[in-house]
Amino acid sequence: MANFYTDNEDISFLFDHMNVARLAGIVEEDFRFAKECDFAPADAKEAVDNYRQILASLGEIAGDRIAPTAEETDKVGNVLNADGSVTYAPGIALAIKLLGQADLMGFTLPYRFGGINCPQLVYTMSNEMISRADASLMNIYGLQGIAETINAFASEEIKQQYLPPMASGKWTGAMVLTEPDAGSDLQSVKVQAYQDDKGNWFVRGVKRFITNGCGEVLLVLARSEPEITDGRGLSVILVERGPKVKIRRLENKLGIHGSPTCEIFFDNAPGLLVGERQRGLITYVMSLMNGARIGIAAQALGIGEAAYRVARDYAHSRRQFDTEIENFPAVRELLIDMNVDVQAARALTYYATFCVDLETGALKQLEFGNVTDKDQAKALKQTSRTYKRLNGMLTPMAKYYASEMSMRVSNGSMAVLGGSGYMKDYPVERYLRDSRITTIYEGTSQLQVVAAVRGVSSGGVDGVMNEVLLNRDWPADLQPTVDKVKEGYALLTEAMAFAKEKGMEYTDLYGRKIVDMAIATIVGALFCDQATGKESKKAVAARWMAVKLPEMRMNKELVCSGDRSAITDFATLAGPVPVLE
């Protein structure tokens, strides 16, 4: 019987190594729910045991029930019916039913709405396992952020009406943002939100590229203030699926075929205002997007893990020239790079999620904890500010690195399998197709780099280094690797100082190289920390820095070159726009 939690040593190790008990104390609010709810944990030990059982249960569903359906789901996809409804692929429908029956569709929702009140870190681990089974399913399972947004910002009446059926898996949701002329630039959204003379809200217009747009609960970003043309004129309206919501078509995509991507026409559809008007983009959608970026990072992790496992197994069993191909040095190097790449993305994504939990916990305690002690309130504000700043860098960084990793590893897996990987006899070609979208939606890699470099520029890496690597004693056998991380950190500091002196345009021009250096430094520090808890991680940390430090030296030289030719000589270097003659 397959279990995607118990068969993954790295997830199990990180679950034990990271301070999950601290997060339990935060989300359980010092375990006060145990007095109100029979199944709420009474202490940290019980909470951590619960989380482990939840992950083991989900791992079994993912490995034993969902993964075997992924190939057929990819083949048959979803169906747009004549009446505008959408029928999920059988495997997707079964998975939603199973996850709902196991109470796993309200992963982070409070107990009072039928949720299981887990930290985001545990949810991210679950997202990775679901994505390993079927990346397209994660686009529905992972949209639990819709319910989180309702819980965070909507009125109590809306919460009571919509959250219980979402927690049970009876209803699913979608965040409805993109339009034909408003992709990454959401400030350009044109879909209208208006009120009648009785104060009822309605939505009119077309949205495109909407993941699970056929869901029952749609959070629609719409222009409620027509006289304001930027993001300040946008609000979020909750629209329930109904006759005024018409799915006009399902997109024909390269991958994630089990995830219905819809074009929707809102024909004066009735809705409910979520939170306050004009805060739709600036507050609510940005909050939703940050969660979604972590979700995509976890999705990419699942794809990368799945792709690596196929390659590792194939290289071990495939014989050429009287030996297994894993014995060829070039194949060994490829497999090692793939495995370290997956672990690096996991270290970064889980650490980012851990920091998100700390920020959210401090904010919740300030808002709902009845904190009267001034020193405690001051400390909580400082904690929330510190981690908000850190998460502004780590969240796009995790999404960027993990999604690019999933493409590299899927591509590497196909290289190991050769011609067999190119055929549909193996799932590698599906992993490669599915991985590509992770670098695009919820903001392309280029946009993630722009967001992350702002955090690096404002000292975000310093915060991580102080927390993880500096100011502590290291075992003697780890010290050489720690010293290499410090050397990389010094290179990054020098490169960043040079770029800042040259201005923002120059910093953006070299943003990817700077962010790559920052990621190499942070992951190096995280690997060293992990090596204190697991012997094999010492080799992983050493390998990471052996490969990354030379790259960092090269990137530092490029950043400090002062070369602006990509800007000044663009027309010459890129050539003219092609014209058909």
Side-chain angles (χ1 to χ4, degrees):
M1 184 176 287
N3 188 312
F4 284 3
Y5 177 66
T6 56
D7 77 353
N8 191 318
E9 285 186 13
D10 203 36
I11 296 180
S12 298
F13 163 70
L14 291 175
F15 180 87
D16 292 331
H17 183 71
M18 300 178 81
N19 195 349
V20 177
R22 180 182 177 187
L23 302 184
I26 292 172
V27 298
E28 293 298 329
E29 301 179 16
D30 292 329
F31 305 97
R32 69 180 180 86
F33 302 117
K35 298 173 185 172
E36 308 163 7
C37 179
D38 292 340
F39 46 87
D43 54 37
K45 182 179 181 305
E46 187 179 346
V48 172
D49 287 343
N50 284 353
Y51 300 154
R52 191 178 288 108
Q53 288 176 19
I54 288 166
L55 289 175
S57 172
L58 183 136
E60 185 177 322
I61 294 172
D64 208 37
R65 304 295 301 275
I66 297 172
T69 68
E71 183 179 351
E72 186 198 6
T73 293
D74 179 63
K75 198 178 297 180
V76 303
N78 304 286
V79 177
L80 176 61
N81 303 308
D83 63 358
S85 63
V86 174
T87 300
Y88 289 131
I92 296 291
L94 173 64
I96 294 172
K97 180 182 174 184
L98 291 171
L99 293 167
Q101 288 173 343
D103 294 326
L104 296 170
M105 292 299 283
F107 218 95
T108 58
L109 284 179
Y111 298 115
R112 68 191 182 100
F113 297 123
I116 53 176
N117 200 41
C118 283
Q120 286 290 335
L121 176 61
V122 181
Y123 179 47
T124 296
M125 292 172 174
S126 79
N127 263 334
E128 180 187 336
M129 289 187 281
I130 289 291
S131 303
R132 178 182 155 194
D134 184 347
S136 68
L137 173 63
M138 182 274 167
N139 280 4
I140 300 171
Y141 174 79
L143 280 170
Q144 295 186 35
I146 305 298
E148 288 175 33
T149 301
I150 293 171
N151 183 47
F153 302 113
S155 66
E156 181 64 23
E157 185 180 359
I158 292 177
K159 293 179 190 178
Q160 293 286 353
Q161 182 176 352
Y162 290 95
L163 293 184
M166 295 184 81
S168 71
K170 181 181 176 186
W171 288 356
T172 62
M175 56 179 182
V176 186
L177 311 179
T178 313
E179 298 178 7
D181 295 319
S184 298
D185 181 15
L186 289 175
Q187 297 202 63
S188 301
V189 159
K190 290 187 173 65
V191 163
Q192 303 168 6
Y194 64 92
Q195 289 177 285
D196 65 11
D197 53 8
K198 295 179 182 176
N200 300 309
W201 282 95
F202 296 88
V203 173
R204 181 173 180 80
V206 176
K207 291 283 189 179
R208 196 175 180 199
F209 297 156
I210 306 304
T211 300
N212 198 42
C214 53
E216 288 81 4
V217 182
L218 311 176
L219 292 187
V220 185
L221 183 68
R223 191 160 298 283
S224 57
E225 325 298 321
E227 72 282 5
I228 302 175
T229 57
D230 59 23
R232 295 169 301 164
L234 300 173
S235 300
V236 166
I237 309 295
L238 188 157
V239 176
E240 195 173 325
R241 190 177 72 186
K244 295 291 186 180
V245 180
K246 299 176 182 175
I247 307 298
R248 298 208 302 198
R249 69 169 184 161
L250 297 180
E251 303 292 348
N252 186 10
K253 309 187 295 282
L254 175 68
I256 55 168
H257 291 162
S259 165
T261 305
C262 307
E263 181 174 300
I264 311 174
F265 174 54
F266 293 94
D267 184 13
N268 300 303
L272 299 167
L273 178 69
V274 173
E276 300 174 24
R277 60 195 298 171
Q278 294 188 256
R279 294 183 64 190
L281 177 63
I282 297 165
T283 304
Y284 309 146
V285 168
M286 289 314 294
S287 170
L288 187 60
M289 288 282 282
N290 283 333
R293 285 171 175 168
I294 290 288
I296 302 306
Q299 182 182 40
L301 264 174
I303 297 170
E305 176 72 26
Y308 171 70
R309 283 173 178 261
V310 175
R312 183 71 187 90
D313 180 67
Y314 187 87
H316 180 67
S317 58
R318 173 70 169 169
R319 289 181 63 84
Q320 293 285 277
F321 306 104
D322 293 328
T323 186
E324 290 77 18
I325 63 172
E326 69 178 5
N327 292 323
F328 299 128
V331 175
R332 288 194 166 194
E333 182 185 43
L334 186 54
L335 289 168
I336 288 170
D337 287 346
M338 290 163 65
N339 192 23
V340 173
D341 215 0
V342 172
Q343 293 182 60
R346 185 175 291 123
L348 185 60
T349 301
Y350 285 11
Y351 179 68
T353 315
F354 187 83
C355 293
V356 167
D357 274 322
L358 295 182
E359 180 196 349
T360 305
L363 288 172
K364 275 186 178 177
Q365 202 171 347
L366 274 172
E367 189 168 355
F368 305 112
N370 294 320
V371 177
T372 55
D373 183 87
K374 287 184 179 177
D375 289 339
Q376 186 186 2
K378 186 178 177 182
L380 287 169
K381 285 178 184 174
Q382 182 59 44
T383 299
S384 69
R385 276 197 294 266
T386 298
Y387 283 104
K388 182 179 181 180
R389 181 179 166 201
L390 205 52
N391 294 331
M393 177 189 73
L394 289 173
T395 301
M397 205 175 257
K399 199 271 186 184
Y400 158 65
Y401 188 81
S403 59
E404 294 287 337
M405 174 279 296
S406 73
M407 282 208 309
R408 280 193 299 271
V409 172
S410 298
N411 207 32
S413 183
M414 187 169 284
V416 171
L417 270 71
S420 295
Y422 196 69
M423 308 301 165
K424 289 185 178 290
D425 300 342
Y426 286 86
V428 173
E429 60 84 26
R430 170 161 54 87
Y431 299 147
L432 186 56
R433 286 188 285 109
D434 286 351
S435 70
R436 190 64 183 88
I437 189 61
T438 66
T439 67
I440 298 172
Y441 54 16
E442 311 311 338
T444 62
S445 289
Q446 289 72 27
L447 285 175
Q448 306 306 317
V449 165
V450 169
V453 81
R454 301 287 185 272
V456 178
S457 175
S458 61
V461 179
D462 302 337
V464 178
M465 292 297 282
N466 285 326
E467 185 168 296
V468 180
L469 191 96
L470 305 176
N471 310 314
R472 64 188 281 190
D473 295 325
W474 291 93
D477 59 347
L478 260 177
Q479 193 61 51
T481 307
V482 170
D483 290 342
K484 287 184 178 179
V485 179
K486 289 179 179 177
E487 183 184 342
Y489 180 39
L491 292 169
L492 169 65
T493 303
E494 190 177 343
M496 191 68 251
F498 184 92
K500 284 175 77 171
E501 195 173 289
K502 296 291 182 183
M504 189 53 70
E505 184 183 59
Y506 189 86
T507 302
D508 284 347
L509 178 61
Y510 287 95
R512 188 160 190 154
K513 293 174 177 58
I514 292 169
V515 170
D516 285 346
M517 293 176 75
I519 290 171
T521 303
I522 291 171
V523 171
L526 293 172
F527 275 159
C528 286
D529 176 67
Q530 292 174 16
T532 62
K534 189 177 184 183
E535 188 66 22
S536 63
K537 288 286 185 178
K538 291 177 181 173
V540 172
R543 172 75 185 181
W544 175 259
M545 289 313 301
V547 172
K548 292 299 173 183
L549 194 53
E551 290 180 8
M552 294 176 77
R553 292 184 185 123
M554 178 189 69
N555 280 336
K556 180 255 172 184
E557 190 170 331
L558 287 167
V559 173
C560 296
S561 68
D563 177 43
R564 292 177 177 270
S565 59
I567 296 171
T568 57
D569 300 339
F570 174 75
T572 302
L573 295 172
V577 177
V579 178
L580 286 176
E581 294 182 355

